Amino acid sequence: MKVRYQYRIYPTSQQVKGLNQLFGCCRVVYNDALAIVRSVPQGEKWPSNAELQKLVITQAKKTAERKWLADVSVVPLQQSVQALGAAFKNFFESRSGKRKGSKVGFPRFKKKLNQQSARFVRTGFSLKGNKLELAKLGRFKVKWSRPLPSEPSSVTIIRNTAGQYHASFVVEIGSINIEPLRPSIGVDLGIKTFAFLSTGDRVESPGYNRLDRKTRRFQRKLARQVKGSKRRAKTRLRLAKLKLKTANIRKDFLHKTTTQLIHENQVVVLEDLAVKNMLGNRKLARAISEQGWGTARTMCEAKANMVNDREVRIISRWEPTSQICSDCGFRWGKVALSVRSILCVSCGTEHDRDGNAAKNIEKSGLGLTQDSK
């Protein structure tokens, strides 16, 4: 299977200028191709990827307005047009129902201040010792945090909003064999505690409060400053670095947590949470978005495919996991969120609300009845 390995790169000042020029060319080619497609009258056939490449790259280089496209490698420019084709494919498959997940919107024009990227295939890059060589850009210093498992088929150079540069390699890996410690586990995701496991263990999320307060303060400061001013640009960069730090902490925590769940359990059972609907609650929206429940589910499903004999099962969001005693199956009905401990009037067992839900999630995922007796 194909996976991505991402590394930090450190370009020189001259290479930064070259990368910025490349990102600008890729963005212009993408936007030009999208403008051509949008200008096609309704009912007429859209141009193919090959035709778009001829129009926005080959013929555009011969004009005075776009002659600077010849200063960069043609490989990432061609990949930009292919990326637009993939965006349209995702859009139409999402509309027809072939693509799962949330609906994908119609492709939009790329902006200069957003994250920038340029993709190179094998004809545009090579590995020379410990350095990465890109066509017309030279060799780059790479921070190799781990070795590549195989020869990469492509590399994407990324510049995030905080001004950092990364190289993302696509490599082929095989499945790994790890003996599980348990046959199954149920996971109840929450806000105060990130996850309560059916084994009785809790997984606490890292604290984001301090970074969140600083982020909101800089957001207010940014809103007051004049657009286009140097002070606003400086504040925007500091805000981007704060958000990146929060995202990195969350990503590191989710990777470690999901890896442990997949490696130690043969079957991981999760709830199908309607996160998008939950974010409509303005009192809990910030706390819910900080947890990254959707990302955790995606990571679990991806890592289950990387390990042999692993499975992630998703139960319906309408399962009454918090309304049933995991011991005797007695149903007590809905209980307010403020109630964290429940005493079953049938068997006399006192349950932690989340721990009881995690056990019921595991039973539902395994196809067992709620009444274990």
Side-chain angles (χ1 to χ4, degrees), residues 16 25 58 63 89 95 109 138 155 179 214-215 267 294 312 338:
V16 167
C25 292
T58 308
T63 64
K89 180 183 177 182
R95 287 187 62 185
F109 293 106
V155 61
E179 195 66 27
K214 292 182 69 176
T215 300
V267 178
V312 175
S338 58

Side-chain angles (χ1 to χ4, degrees), residues 180 183-185 261-263 265-270 300-314 365-366:
S184 63
I185 194 170
L261 285 174
I262 295 299
H263 285 189
N265 305 280
Q266 187 173 354
V267 178
V268 177
V269 187
L270 302 169
C300 281
E301 292 174 338
K303 292 176 183 180
N305 294 328
M306 297 168 62
V307 183
N308 287 327
D309 198 26
R310 292 296 191 275
E311 184 181 359
V312 175
R313 298 183 184 179
I314 309 298
L366 298 177

Side-chain angles (χ1 to χ4, degrees), residues 92-368:
F92 287 118
E93 288 185 352
S94 179
R95 287 187 62 185
S96 62
K98 292 182 180 180
R99 181 184 173 90
K100 297 181 180 179
S102 57
K103 294 296 182 182
V104 177
F106 193 86
R108 293 180 292 183
F109 293 106
K110 291 189 175 183
K111 297 182 179 180
K112 187 176 181 179
L113 293 179
N114 292 348
Q115 178 175 286
Q116 305 294 311
S117 63
R119 184 170 180 262
F120 291 83
V121 293
R122 287 299 309 175
T123 55
F125 80 97
S126 60
L127 295 175
K128 303 290 185 181
N130 291 329
K131 293 192 175 183
L132 169 65
E133 184 171 353
L134 300 176
K136 292 191 176 183
L137 290 171
R139 298 184 181 184
F140 290 78
K141 180 182 177 182
V142 184
K143 182 67 175 179
W144 297 104
S145 55
R146 52 180 175 169
L148 285 171
S150 62
E151 195 72 16
S153 59
S154 67
V155 61
T156 303
I157 308 301
I158 303 168
R159 187 191 71 197
N160 58 31
T161 54
Q164 298 176 352
Y165 294 84
H166 293 85
S168 179
F169 296 92
V170 175
V171 294
E172 190 80 23
I173 64 169
S175 300
I176 58 177
N177 293 313
I178 300 176
E179 195 66 27
L181 301 179
R182 286 177 292 273
S184 63
I185 194 170
V187 183
D188 180 58
L189 300 175
I191 296 177
K192 290 188 176 181
T193 300
F194 174 75
F196 206 113
L197 310 181
S198 57
T199 57
D201 298 326
R202 298 170 183 256
V203 180
E204 302 291 343
S205 62
Y208 305 109
N209 291 338
R210 177 174 166 273
L211 286 171
D212 181 54
R213 286 195 300 269
K214 292 182 69 176
T215 300
R216 283 191 279 177
R217 186 170 73 248
F218 277 101
Q219 284 175 332
R220 292 192 296 268
K221 183 178 180 181
L222 185 72
R224 292 192 298 266
Q225 291 175 328
V226 180
K227 288 186 178 181
S229 64
K230 291 184 178 180
R231 288 188 177 182
R232 193 175 195 275
K234 185 178 179 180
T235 304
R236 187 202 61 79
L237 183 61
R238 293 189 65 181
L239 181 60
K241 289 182 178 180
L242 276 174
K243 289 185 176 181
L244 179 64
K245 186 175 182 179
T246 304
N248 287 341
I249 293 173
R250 183 188 301 110
K251 187 177 179 180
D252 177 71
F253 164 73
L254 293 177
H255 268 301
K256 291 177 179 177
T257 302
T258 53
T259 298
Q260 185 176 359
L261 285 174
I262 295 299
H263 285 189
E264 294 182 355
N265 305 280
Q266 187 173 354
V267 178
V268 177
V269 187
L270 302 169
E271 277 186 298
D272 182 23
L273 298 175
V275 180
K276 190 173 181 180
N277 297 342
M278 292 180 181
L279 294 178
N281 185 339
R282 62 183 184 86
K283 294 183 179 180
L284 297 176
R286 187 184 297 274
I288 291 173
S289 59
E290 283 178 349
Q291 298 304 315
W293 294 339
T295 307
R297 172 178 168 175
T298 303
M299 287 183 177
C300 281
E301 292 174 338
K303 292 176 183 180
N305 294 328
M306 297 168 62
V307 183
N308 287 327
D309 198 26
R310 292 296 191 275
E311 184 181 359
V312 175
R313 298 183 184 179
I314 309 298
I315 69 169
S316 171
R317 68 188 64 165
W318 306 113
E319 285 287 338
T321 55
S322 299
Q323 304 177 27
I324 295 177
C325 175
S326 58
D327 236 20
C328 67
F330 175 76
R331 183 165 181 168
W332 51 66
K334 290 186 177 181
V335 182
L337 284 174
S338 58
V339 178
R340 308 313 303 172
S341 180
I342 303 171
L343 178 65
C344 180
V345 297
S346 177
C347 64
T349 307
E350 186 173 0
H351 298 282
D352 180 273
R353 180 194 181 100
D354 297 330
N356 178 71
K359 293 177 182 178
N360 285 331
I361 289 172
E362 181 182 11
K363 290 182 180 180
S364 297
L366 298 177
L368 304 176

Side-chain angles (χ1 to χ4, degrees), residues 43-64:
E44 294 189 13
K45 187 178 179 181
W46 288 358
S48 64
N49 277 357
E51 292 171 340
L52 284 175
Q53 288 183 19
K54 185 177 180 180
L55 290 172
V56 302
I57 300 176
T58 308
Q59 295 182 3
K61 288 180 180 179
K62 300 176 183 178
T63 64

